[in-house]
Amino acid sequence: MPEGLNSRDRVLWAGASLLGDGPGASLSVRAVAAKAGVSVGSLRHHFPTQRELINAVMKLVYDFSLRTGDLDGTAAPARDRVMAYLHTILAPTDNFDAAEAWRQTFTRYVETPLSPETREEYLAVEREIARRIEHLLTRLEDEGALPPGDNLRRATFLVTVVTGISIAQALPSEPTRPLDDAETLRIAVDWVFDGTTTAGNTSARTE
């Protein structure tokens, strides 16, 4: 644990650390408090509910792993900004191993019997990713680059597409699939922007 952290940051560091401890590691209040070296009462002061604790931990994790970078600017076309962010979700690091990531996901959330804390942990992952995509879409809507609409619904759809692609990347596949991952993402993004798809056309589009 880094030195000099206040009690709230100690709790967040402990929760993020527990995520890497493998199957069986729980983000329960007691486990996180013990890892952080704080009392349960101190943890509850900062995070009154289990859900608030897990949501805060997930936000911290994704603040580091899914940075928006130049997506905050308006130089790139809106659709390309969404595409770039979805690619970041699919491969958050240069050496990202999709197969290993899904092995760990399956072991933690499917193979191992789920505790209420672990179930809430996975749901928090989905909520946080959807929230970030929704935030980007709302920003684009405010810029006038995206037609008004239900951005939570749009974000949930994109999360579903990204999840499917990530599973496909972890499994064996034909080298000549009719759709590659980039084209699939482009079709999904086109639906978000105008309700139509452009299968077979993966060239960059501008607003």
Side-chain angles (χ1 to χ4, degrees):
M1 180 182 296
E3 296 182 1
L5 296 182
N6 59 35
S7 59
R8 184 180 188 278
D9 288 342
R10 288 171 67 90
V11 168
L12 292 176
W13 175 90
S17 298
L18 282 171
L19 288 176
D21 284 352
S26 170
L27 290 186
S28 68
V29 169
R30 292 187 180 280
V32 175
K35 183 88 169 179
V38 303
S39 68
V40 170
S42 177
L43 185 152
R44 289 291 194 191
H45 171 74
H46 299 296
F47 307 102
T49 67
Q50 175 78 20
R51 183 164 184 158
E52 288 177 282
L53 169 63
I54 294 177
N55 284 346
V57 170
M58 292 305 171
K59 183 179 185 303
L60 174 68
V61 169
Y62 285 108
D63 278 345
F64 281 97
S65 61
L66 292 180
R67 298 178 184 273
T68 57
D70 60 1
L71 298 180
D72 291 329
T74 59
R79 297 180 197 234
D80 290 349
R81 289 160 68 187
V82 177
M83 285 283 290
Y85 197 59
L86 298 181
H87 278 296
T88 301
I89 295 172
L90 283 167
T93 61
D94 292 338
N95 60 348
F96 183 74
D97 185 333
E100 178 58 26
W102 269 107
R103 275 194 292 270
Q104 294 180 15
T105 299
F106 183 87
T107 301
R108 188 174 184 88
Y109 300 113
V110 180
E111 187 177 58
T112 305
L114 285 182
S115 66
E117 293 84 9
T118 307
R119 180 179 185 277
E120 181 59 32
E121 176 189 310
Y122 182 78
L123 294 177
V125 170
E126 285 202 328
R127 283 195 303 267
E128 183 61 20
I129 294 176
R131 185 189 69 80
R132 288 169 181 271
I133 296 174
E134 181 186 13
H135 177 72
L136 174 59
L137 298 179
T138 300
R139 185 188 310 161
L140 295 175
E141 187 177 311
D142 291 342
E143 293 172 6
L146 175 68
D150 186 342
N151 287 328
L152 177 57
R153 180 171 177 265
R154 290 164 166 169
T156 302
F157 165 70
L158 290 176
V159 169
T160 302
V161 173
V162 168
T163 300
I165 291 174
S166 68
I167 295 173
Q169 289 179 340
L171 296 172
S173 64
E174 293 287 351
T176 56
R177 286 189 297 169
L179 291 177
D180 63 19
D181 298 335
E183 187 175 5
T184 300
L185 280 183
R186 177 63 70 181
I187 291 171
V189 170
D190 283 344
W191 178 87
V192 166
F193 275 82
D194 49 37
T196 62
T197 61
T198 54
N201 179 14
T202 59
S203 60
R205 299 178 59 173
T206 58
E207 298 302 319

